[in-house]
Amino acid sequence: MAGADSLFDAICTRLGIDKNGIDHHHPIGVSPDGLWSVEGVECLANCGFGPNMMVNDLLYEKVTPEVLEEVIAKYQTA
């Protein structure tokens, strides 16, 4: 899915979220500080521009590790 697995791994690693605790019964992982949560979804209807992620209601496309850092920094200072 256009690099979504690698992006999901990077998000979890960067935010300190235990990816192994996320499954069908517990679909949302939360960072140790409680400020971030992550949920894997199958589709954001933007396949041609993946990998994608959504923060609140904003869609980010073609997310690279650099873009991920920029987005995290944006919300850490908000």
Side-chain angles (χ1 to χ4, degrees):
M1 291 189 287
D5 289 336
S6 296
L7 177 59
F8 191 79
D9 290 347
I11 292 168
C12 289
T13 298
R14 174 61 177 80
L15 299 176
I17 296 172
D18 179 12
K19 186 180 89 162
N20 296 321
I22 301 171
D23 59 25
H24 286 35
H25 299 289
H26 303 94
I28 300 173
V30 179
S31 64
D33 60 12
L35 297 176
W36 302 90
S37 63
V38 64
E39 178 180 8
V41 297
E42 188 166 327
C43 181
L44 292 174
N46 200 39
C47 297
F49 300 96
N52 301 287
M53 71 179 186
M54 185 171 275
V55 180
N56 298 328
D57 291 328
L58 294 176
L59 177 67
Y60 294 88
E61 56 189 31
K62 297 183 181 179
V63 180
T64 63
E66 294 79 20
V67 170
L68 175 61
E69 287 301 321
E70 290 171 12
V71 172
I72 290 171
K74 173 183 173 180
Y75 286 94
Q76 281 180 330
T77 59

